[in-house]
Amino acid sequence: MSLGNKIKETVYKAFIYDGWEVIDNLEDVISRAEVISFDIFDTLVKRNVQEPRQVHQIVEQEFCRQTGIRIPEYVNHRVDSEEKARKCSAKEEIYMDDIFSLLPGFPDEWKRRLQELEKEIEIKISTPNLKIKAVYDKVLKAGKKIIITSDMYLDQETVRQILCKCGYDGFEKLYLSSSFGLCKAKGSIYEVIKRDYPHERILHIGDHIRSDYFVPRKRGIDAILINRNLCSLRFWSQKGKYVTDQLLYQRMYAFLNNHTDGNNRDAMSIGYEILGPMLWGYCRWLYEKIRVDKIDKVFFLSREGRILQAAFNSLYPTCDVKQTYLHVSRQALVIPMLIDAANFDEMVDTFRLFSHVPFVKIIPTLCSFDFDIFDNELSDIGVDSESRIDALSSEKKEQLYSIVIRLGRDSFAQQKACIVKYLNQNNFEGNIAIVDIGWSGSMQQALQKYVSDKDTKLHGYYLGVRNVKPDEYYEQLSREGYLFDCKKNENFNLMTRFTAGIIEMLFLNTAGSVLKYDTKGESVVPILSEPEYIGEESDFIVTVQTAALEFLNIVREDEVLREEQEVPADIIMSGYSQFAVYPTLSTLRIFNKFCFLNGTIGNILPERGLLYYAAHLGKLNRDFMESSCKIFFLKKIFKIKFPYYDFLKVLLYKWNRKKIS
C-alpha cells in the first residue's frame, strides 16, 4: 500500500462508526433526525465480489458462456470506457448508455447484450449488508422517514430491483445520481434533499469518507461513516494463496463475508466457513459423477455419510437416483474377514487399518473379545498388551495369531453371514456408488468381497483417496477423490493426513459406530457403540454441521455461484488450511476436551507438556505416532508460531526414503 493510501486509510478509520455500534446506540441515532438517508452500495447492499472490476469479469464469462464468443480484453475496455465517459460528460453523473457507447470496435448487438448482462449480474450478486439491514429495519419500525441516496450510473429500475431483492422497502424517495444528473461527491444532490425536506433534520449513513461524510456535513446534513471493509471471517484471508482461480476465490470470500454477521461462535464459524464450503464443492462434484457414470443407487456410508447425504439432498432435492444410508464401519466389515487370514502377516495388515503402529492392546477392542479372557491368553504365552504386534518374535506372532483365530472364529463367521444378509436386504447390487469421506478404501475393498458373487459394479466417490499399500493392490477398485487421489493434489492428501482427527470429526455423525450386526426377526440390524462425544462436545459437532447446512441453503439461492460448473479443491482447502493446517493457539483451545476413536479412544490434543516429554522421549514418540492430528499435537506442545505442516512433510519424506533404502 502506498504512503498516500495509508494516510487515507488512517483518516478513514478515524471517522468510522462500526455497524454494530450504530445498532447498539440506535436510540441516539434516531432521536437526532426525522429523515434518515442511506447510501446503497457497500452500505445497504453488498456485492458478492471483492471489487467492482470483478463484476465485469463475471459479465465477460457469462457472455462467453451464452454466446461462445470470448472477449479477452473486455474488462479493460469496460473500465476505460467508463473513465472516458466521465471525462467527456458535461453532467455530474453518467448513464450506462454513455459507457457502452464508447466500447471500441464492439457490434451494437454485443453492446446491448453486455449492458443487459451487467444489469442482470448486478442484481444477482447483490445481497443485504446484514449489519445495516438491522439498522434500516429498526429505523423503519420507529416510523422515521427513509430516503436512499447514491452515486450510481445504473438506472432507477435496476436499482429498485436490487433494493427489492435485498429486502429494502418502505422508503419514501430514491435519489439516484444517474436520474438527477447530480451527485453526492459534488454535494448538489444533498441540496435537492434539503429543498425536499426543508424543516426536518436529516441524517445520512454511508461508507465513503468524502461523499458520505464530509460533503453532507459541509451542506448541513448530519452524517455517520460506516466501515465498508469490515471482515467477519475467521479462517479466510482476502487474497487466496496458491489458488488457480483467483476470481472465484475472491467471490467466495466476499460471499462468505457478506452472509455472516461476525458474531458466530466457534462451532458456527467452523461450520459456515470450513465444512459448508467443503460440502458444497464435494456435492457438486458428486452430482456430476453420478450423472456421468449413470449410477442406479447411491449408498451413503455411516457415519460421515449422514452429513454428506443431508448436504447432497439440500443442494439437489429433486435428484431421482435412489439413496440409502448404509450402517457400516471398518471394524464391522473388515474384522470378520480375519477368519480368512491365512497367517500372522495377513492378520496384522488388518490391524494396521486401525492403527499405523498396532499394539496388542487394540485387539480385544477391535475383535469384541472379553478383556479378561484375552489377558489370560496373553499371560499364558508371555506377551504384554503394551507390546507392538510387529515387534514380537516369530514364535509369539504365531501364538498370537492362533489365539485371535481361536477366540474369534465363531463370531467372525456369524458376522460375515449377517453382513451378506444386511447388504441383500438393502439391495446392494447393480451399478452403484458408495459415498464416504474416504482415505484408503478399506471399506470398499471389504464390500466388494462381500458381493463378489454378484453382477455389481461398485464406484467409490470420496472426499479424498490415498494408497497405503502398493498401487496394484487398488487396481480392481473404481474410486475417485474430490480433494485428492493418487494422481492429484498430494498436498491436500498430506494436509488431511496430518489433521485426520479434526477433519473426520467435522463430518462425524454423533451416533455411535457400528460394532457388529444382529438378527431381529427376519432382518439384520446394526449394533452401535456408545457415542464418543456427549454433552458439550456432541452439541458442538451438531452446531458445526447445522451451520454448514445453513451455508448450503444460502449458496443454493445465489444465482451466480449456482451456475459454477466446478468448485476447485484449492479454493475449498484455503479455509481449512488456515483453520487446521496452520492453526492458532485459540483454535487449539476449542478442542481441549475432544477425543478420537481409532481402535482405542484418545484425546485429540496431548495431555502432557513440553517439560514432561523432554524427560520421557519414548512416551513422546509413542504419543506422537498415535496422534490423530499431528499438527495440533506439535502446536500444543511447542506453542510457538512455526510451519509444523512443512516440518512434517520433510519428516515423512526422509522416513519414506529411509524405508525404501
Side-chain angles (χ1 to χ4, degrees):
M1 184 184 291
S2 67
L3 178 60
N5 286 334
K6 286 182 179 179
I7 293 173
K8 288 180 182 178
E9 189 71 15
T10 301
V11 173
Y12 177 73
K13 289 180 178 178
F15 291 94
I16 285 175
Y17 205 146
D18 184 80
W20 286 117
E21 292 176 19
V22 172
I23 296 172
D24 294 340
N25 299 284
L26 190 59
E27 296 302 323
D28 293 336
V29 176
I30 292 175
S31 65
R32 68 192 190 203
E34 291 81 41
V35 178
I36 312 296
S37 168
F38 288 92
D39 172 48
I40 300 179
F41 293 99
D42 290 323
T43 301
L44 288 178
V45 173
K46 303 289 281 187
R47 291 180 173 110
N48 289 325
V49 292
Q50 284 196 36
E51 55 185 41
R53 183 184 179 91
Q54 292 171 358
V55 176
H56 312 320
Q57 291 176 289
I58 298 172
V59 170
E60 178 190 320
Q61 291 177 351
E62 184 61 19
F63 183 81
C64 180
R65 190 183 71 82
Q66 292 184 9
T67 66
I69 301 170
R70 296 183 62 84
I71 317 176
E73 289 298 314
Y74 172 73
V75 176
N76 291 332
H77 289 317
R78 170 61 179 78
V79 172
D80 292 342
S81 296
E82 183 174 343
E83 290 179 359
K84 291 177 184 177
R86 294 191 183 281
K87 289 178 182 178
C88 298
S89 177
K91 299 172 293 184
E92 290 185 13
E93 183 59 279
I94 58 175
Y95 305 103
M96 286 193 79
D97 290 343
D98 300 328
I99 299 171
F100 281 86
S101 67
L102 296 175
L103 284 175
F106 284 56
D108 289 341
E109 183 181 346
W110 288 19
K111 293 179 181 179
R112 285 193 296 271
R113 184 60 194 134
L114 288 164
Q115 186 170 341
E116 288 305 311
L117 271 177
E118 184 166 326
K119 293 178 183 179
E120 293 171 13
I121 296 301
E122 286 281 11
I123 296 169
K124 288 180 178 181
I125 66 172
S126 293
T127 189
N129 184 345
L130 298 179
K131 295 176 184 258
I132 307 305
K133 180 67 164 62
V135 175
Y136 183 97
D137 290 343
K138 289 191 176 183
V139 170
L140 188 65
K141 186 177 181 181
K144 297 292 180 178
K145 295 177 182 178
I146 296 178
I147 61 175
I148 295 178
T149 312
S150 181
D151 284 349
M152 173 49 71
Y153 49 75
L154 290 172
D155 60 277
Q156 280 232 12
E157 177 58 29
T158 301
V159 171
R160 286 185 180 276
Q161 287 186 52
I162 289 172
L163 291 169
C164 179
K165 179 197 174 188
C166 295
Y168 293 108
D169 55 17
F171 55 89
E172 283 197 354
K173 294 182 181 179
L174 175 59
Y175 292 88
L176 205 59
S177 60
S178 59
S179 299
F180 284 81
L182 305 171
C183 66
K184 294 186 301 179
K186 301 284 186 181
S188 50
I189 203 164
Y190 290 119
E191 293 298 334
V192 175
I193 293 172
K194 286 175 67 179
R195 286 199 299 269
D196 289 347
Y197 298 94
H199 305 299
E200 294 163 293
R201 295 189 63 181
I202 305 167
L203 169 70
H204 180 69
I205 300 174
D207 68 286
H208 194 280
I209 190 168
R210 183 171 181 270
S211 300
D212 293 313
Y213 189 74
F214 286 125
V215 173
R217 288 171 72 89
K218 187 176 180 180
R219 301 290 174 138
I221 293 176
D222 199 4
I224 286 177
L225 182 68
I226 66 158
N227 189 350
R228 65 173 176 265
N229 298 318
L230 200 62
C231 177
S232 300
L233 302 179
R234 295 175 58 180
F235 305 111
W236 284 66
S237 60
Q238 284 191 325
K239 302 293 183 182
K241 292 182 178 179
Y242 317 118
V243 297
T244 53
D245 190 338
Q246 192 66 230
L247 173 61
L248 180 56
Y249 175 87
Q250 291 181 17
R251 284 166 52 199
M252 276 294 298
Y253 173 89
F255 180 88
L256 285 163
N257 196 39
N258 291 342
H259 287 83
T260 181
D261 57 20
N263 281 356
N264 287 346
R265 292 172 293 150
D266 294 331
M268 292 177 67
S269 291
I270 293 169
Y272 178 77
E273 297 182 39
I274 308 301
L275 181 58
M278 274 189 180
L279 291 172
W280 177 54
Y282 171 78
C283 287
R284 291 182 69 88
W285 175 82
L286 174 62
Y287 182 80
E288 185 64 14
K289 290 297 179 184
I290 290 172
R291 186 188 66 81
V292 171
D293 292 336
K294 300 179 181 179
I295 299 299
D296 301 322
K297 290 173 276 188
V298 180
F299 291 86
F300 292 87
L301 306 187
S302 63
R303 294 182 284 173
E304 290 85 351
R306 180 67 80 189
I307 185 62
L308 293 172
Q309 184 177 24
F312 186 81
N313 287 330
S314 175
L315 290 171
Y316 303 102
T318 60
C319 180
D320 57 1
V321 175
K322 185 177 179 181
Q323 301 177 22
T324 299
Y325 180 70
L326 200 68
H327 281 93
V328 292
S329 70
R330 278 188 303 166
Q331 181 176 354
L333 291 178
V334 175
I335 294 300
M337 289 188 170
L338 283 173
I339 196 173
D340 300 321
N343 51 50
F344 173 84
D345 290 335
E346 290 184 14
M347 182 186 77
V348 175
D349 280 346
T350 297
F351 292 140
R352 283 202 183 97
L353 294 174
F354 302 90
S355 178
H356 179 65
V357 181
F359 292 85
V360 174
K361 67 180 181 180
I362 71 171
I363 294 177
T365 300
L366 293 175
C367 298
S368 300
F369 292 161
D370 182 283
F371 281 85
D372 291 335
I373 293 176
F374 186 73
D375 282 344
N376 289 335
E377 294 279 354
L378 291 181
S379 297
D380 290 344
I381 63 172
V383 171
D384 191 317
S385 63
E386 296 292 330
S387 303
R388 284 179 52 167
I389 297 177
D390 52 3
L392 298 175
S393 66
S394 298
E395 180 185 1
K396 299 301 182 187
K397 288 177 180 179
E398 289 304 315
Q399 290 174 328
L400 181 60
Y401 167 76
S402 298
I403 291 172
V404 171
I405 298 302
R406 176 163 43 82
L407 292 180
R409 181 180 289 109
D410 292 343
S411 64
F412 296 159
Q414 185 265 344
Q415 282 300 299
K416 280 190 69 174
C418 281
I419 292 167
V420 171
K421 187 173 182 180
Y422 178 70
L423 295 176
N424 286 338
Q425 74 187 31
N426 282 284
N427 298 311
F428 194 81
E429 58 185 358
N431 189 38
I432 62 178
I434 57 174
V435 174
D436 191 17
I437 192 173
W439 313 151
S440 64
S442 55
M443 286 205 289
Q444 185 173 349
Q445 283 275 18
L447 287 168
Q448 202 149 290
K449 291 178 181 178
Y450 284 116
V451 295
S452 59
D453 60 335
K454 295 184 177 181
D455 184 19
T456 297
K457 176 63 175 177
L458 196 58
H459 305 261
Y461 301 130
Y462 304 103
L463 197 69
V465 169
R466 66 174 63 105
N467 292 355
V468 297
K469 293 185 178 182
D471 293 348
E472 54 267 22
Y473 178 81
Y474 302 95
E475 287 178 353
Q476 302 305 312
L477 291 185
S478 172
R479 59 183 188 142
E480 295 180 70
Y482 163 61
L483 292 179
F484 62 88
D485 56 34
C486 58
K487 297 179 181 178
K488 66 180 182 184
N489 298 340
E490 174 63 13
N491 230 25
F492 300 153
N493 172 20
L494 296 180
M495 284 182 179
T496 56
R497 181 174 174 180
F498 297 150
T499 60
I502 295 298
I503 194 167
E504 291 178 17
M505 184 195 65
L506 297 183
F507 285 82
L508 189 66
N509 177 12
T510 54
S513 177
V514 179
L515 291 175
K516 59 181 181 178
Y517 299 90
D518 202 355
T519 54
K520 189 175 183 180
E522 296 297 316
S523 300
V524 173
V525 295
I527 305 300
L528 307 184
S529 67
E530 291 295 320
E532 302 98 307
Y533 302 111
I534 57 175
E536 292 182 8
E537 290 75 33
S538 176
D539 293 343
F540 182 93
I541 295 173
V542 170
T543 303
V544 167
Q545 296 182 357
T546 300
L549 294 176
E550 288 175 358
F551 165 83
L552 296 182
N553 290 333
I554 296 170
V555 80
R556 188 182 61 212
E557 300 302 319
D558 185 88
E559 296 180 72
V560 178
L561 286 177
R562 195 170 61 218
E563 291 169 359
E564 287 294 333
Q565 297 302 307
E566 182 181 356
V567 186
D570 55 5
I571 292 178
I572 298 304
M573 288 299 283
S574 294
Y576 185 78
S577 176
Q578 291 193 55
F579 163 63
V581 182
Y582 297 98
T584 62
L585 289 174
S586 60
T587 298
L588 261 62
R589 283 192 285 271
I590 298 172
F591 301 100
N592 273 336
K593 298 180 180 179
F594 280 82
C595 57
F596 179 70
L597 179 65
N598 194 21
T600 59
I601 295 178
N603 292 330
I604 284 181
L605 298 178
E607 298 181 17
R608 307 287 189 173
L610 180 58
L611 291 178
Y612 173 84
Y613 283 123
H616 302 81
L617 295 180
K619 178 66 171 171
L620 170 63
N621 180 64
R622 178 166 174 174
D623 287 356
F624 175 73
M625 294 302 294
E626 290 186 345
S627 172
S628 65
C629 188
K630 290 179 169 49
I631 290 176
F632 278 36
F633 184 95
L634 294 176
K635 180 76 173 183
K636 179 66 183 297
I637 290 175
F638 295 104
K639 294 183 170 56
I640 60 172
K641 187 175 182 179
F642 184 79
Y644 299 103
Y645 167 67
D646 305 273
F647 168 74
L648 288 171
K649 281 204 301 184
V650 172
L651 205 64
L652 181 65
Y653 173 74
K654 289 183 176 180
W655 185 81
N656 284 336
R657 287 196 64 181
K658 182 179 179 181
K659 187 170 66 170
I660 293 172
S661 61

